[in-house]
Amino acid sequence: MADSPGDAAGADAPPQYMALTFPQQTQPLYTAYAEIAASGTACKHSNFLKGARWSPDGACLLTASDDNWLRIYDLPQDALECPAVARTAVDGLRDAGDAEAAASDAASAEAASGSDGQGGMGDSLPVALRVQEGETIYDMAWYPLMSAADPATCCFATTSRAHPIHLWDACTGALRCTYRGFNDVDEVTPAFSTAFSADGSRLIGGYNKSFLMFDVSRPGRDYAKKVSTHAKRRPDESLPGMVSALAFSGYETGGHLVAVGSYGGGIALYDARTWEMTYLLKGHKGGVTQVRFTPDGNFLLSGARQDGDLICWDLREGCTGELYRMPRDTRSTNQRVGFSVEPCGRHVATGGSGGCVRVFDLQTGRQVDDVRVSLDTVNGCDFHPNLNLLAVATGHRRYPITSCNMDVDSSDAGSDADAEGEGRGGEAGGLGKRAGAADRSRVRGGGVENAVRVLRLNYEMLDCLPGPEEVE
């Protein structure tokens, strides 16, 4: 029997890819709040999130928080069919009194059900796995070849204060191995950032004025390469300060380029085959907190603390330099505020102190959307690698206001020597008012919302452009 015209047309149709459309009205799907709010910390309502990252296969979401717990949330299978919720449990919490009442209700519900206090009662996105780090968490990175169908690849690396780099099993929560860096007196020194190579064979850790490259298959103290980023005799051609951000270029582009950012405000590009510095980029006012290559490898995006701009750097041969800047609400915060590049490379989304996610078109650098997702600081956002979903993490560090420290400035948290203090200067960007004498028991900032949210986005299917071989 001959094929129908519809079948023939379908067979000849060009391949397509998913592209998100902006501006749009986001659809909130899931929220995780109760467990995070009920977690005990030195200061109430201070258990803020430190970013959220989807696994490479998109099956789960990894978060870190100020209570030194890493949490993994499994994405429900009905995420695309699940109806959007009109109002989440934490909408409208504008001050610490509302947040305390919500946390108290969650704790009461847990006590009534016989929970151990970590059951996540009231959360529409339950926790699948919890891992506790020993000290303040600095950075985390998924194994790039991770697949839920292969448990051996289900792992992620973390860095924390006074600890080596840890490689955790994402299925059991067990510690698989460590990668240890040592200082000049043979003491274990922590890495301030970490990243995997595109093929997963190498793990890199950022230290003070240097970074180490480890062979993933050989854990321990033996590293494959040590690269010093700062030279006293050539200060203008080196990268001073702690290595605070790392990124490998994508597997599609060969993965031969490594971006290294420091708290000194500079970014260096290294060739991963020779480990020689190829470019030195300067333009940020504060310490660099994140670097990310675009999927095609032609551009590099970077963000910094105490700096109100994302910078797009052009890496194409012959035109390396700053291309344009994208403003975001991070000028007055020391917090590490993350951004995410759409998988197809069309848009970039970034958080900020004002509770909004700003979206920019990477072709022009213009803002195309400003989505209100929280009353609190949005410290991290991440596009799902395969689906039209966006994960956001909210919250910032808070201090109780007393009569003796109401006007104390928290800008001293920006010290490079105290990397674990990220977020100590965060404000909630105009949503809250400065506490008066009658409100000294309240915390600084606007809305109180230490939470993880998953939002559904609108999209369209576009035809893939033909490659050079197909054109010929």
Side-chain angles (χ1 to χ4, degrees), residues 348-362:
V348 59
T350 178
S353 300
C356 295
V357 173
R358 294 185 183 181
V359 183
F360 297 88
D361 189 326
L362 286 178

Side-chain angles (χ1 to χ4, degrees), residues 10 48 71 192 241 342 398 413:
F48 61 93
R71 295 176 175 88
F192 301 102
E342 185 181 357
R398 290 178 165 83

Side-chain angles (χ1 to χ4, degrees), residues 75-377:
L75 179 65
Q77 296 182 356
D78 62 346
L80 297 182
E81 293 79 19
C82 176
V85 294
R87 182 178 186 274
T88 63
V90 292
D91 284 337
L93 301 185
R94 290 188 175 273
D95 55 41
D98 293 335
E100 186 172 359
S104 177
D105 293 343
S108 299
E110 291 171 354
S113 63
S115 173
D116 60 357
Q118 294 189 0
M121 296 296 294
D123 291 344
S124 56
L125 190 66
V127 179
L129 182 69
R130 303 174 183 87
V131 176
Q132 187 174 26
E133 267 286 8
E135 284 285 353
T136 301
I137 299 171
Y138 292 157
D139 199 5
M140 54 187 178
W142 281 102
Y143 180 67
L145 304 182
M146 182 268 187
S147 173
D150 185 3
T153 63
C154 296
C155 58
F156 59 92
T158 62
T159 64
S160 60
R161 180 184 179 188
H163 285 265
I165 300 176
H166 290 157
L167 187 67
W168 300 96
D169 191 308
C171 296
T172 65
L175 179 63
R176 288 191 178 181
C177 59
T178 62
Y179 301 89
R180 301 188 293 275
F182 290 81
N183 57 20
D184 295 337
V185 294
D186 206 36
E187 296 175 338
V188 174
T189 182
F192 301 102
S193 55
T194 188
F196 284 96
S197 61
D199 60 3
S201 63
R202 294 174 290 182
L203 177 66
I204 192 171
Y207 298 86
N208 186 28
K209 300 179 182 178
S210 66
F211 61 89
L212 301 179
M213 196 274 287
F214 297 92
D215 187 335
V216 173
S217 62
R218 299 185 62 184
R221 65 177 298 162
D222 295 330
Y223 52 85
K225 183 70 175 180
K226 179 178 181 179
V227 179
S228 296
T229 60
H230 179 66
K232 293 183 178 180
R233 296 183 178 180
R234 295 177 299 169
D236 296 336
E237 300 178 6
S238 59
L239 192 68
M242 298 176 181
V243 175
S244 54
L246 294 164
F248 276 86
S249 58
Y251 186 79
E252 295 81 1
T253 59
H256 299 315
L257 203 59
V258 181
V260 180
S262 78
Y263 278 136
I267 302 170
L269 298 178
Y270 287 84
D271 189 326
R273 294 164 293 187
T274 61
W275 295 110
E276 295 182 356
M277 183 186 297
T278 57
Y279 298 104
L280 185 62
L281 309 174
K282 295 183 179 180
H284 282 294
K285 299 177 182 178
V288 178
T289 56
Q290 186 180 359
V291 289
R292 180 72 61 86
F293 288 93
T294 55
D296 59 8
N298 290 329
F299 305 93
L300 176 72
L301 301 175
S302 62
R305 61 186 186 183
Q306 295 286 344
D307 192 320
D309 294 311
L310 281 179
I311 300 181
C312 179
W313 307 90
D314 192 343
L315 305 182
R316 291 172 294 184
E317 186 175 358
C319 54
T320 301
E322 181 180 319
L323 188 60
Y324 52 74
R325 290 174 177 252
M326 297 166 283
R328 61 175 185 167
D329 193 7
T330 55
R331 188 179 302 276
S332 60
T333 177
N334 287 307
Q335 188 167 6
R336 185 188 293 259
V337 176
F339 61 86
S340 177
V341 180
E342 185 181 357
C344 69
R346 191 178 182 183
H347 299 100
V348 59
T350 178
S353 300
C356 295
V357 173
R358 294 185 183 181
V359 183
F360 297 88
D361 189 326
L362 286 178
Q363 291 184 338
T364 63
R366 295 179 180 177
Q367 180 176 321
V368 294
D369 207 350
D370 191 10
V371 184
R372 166 71 66 176
V373 298
S374 173
L375 295 172
D376 208 338
T377 300

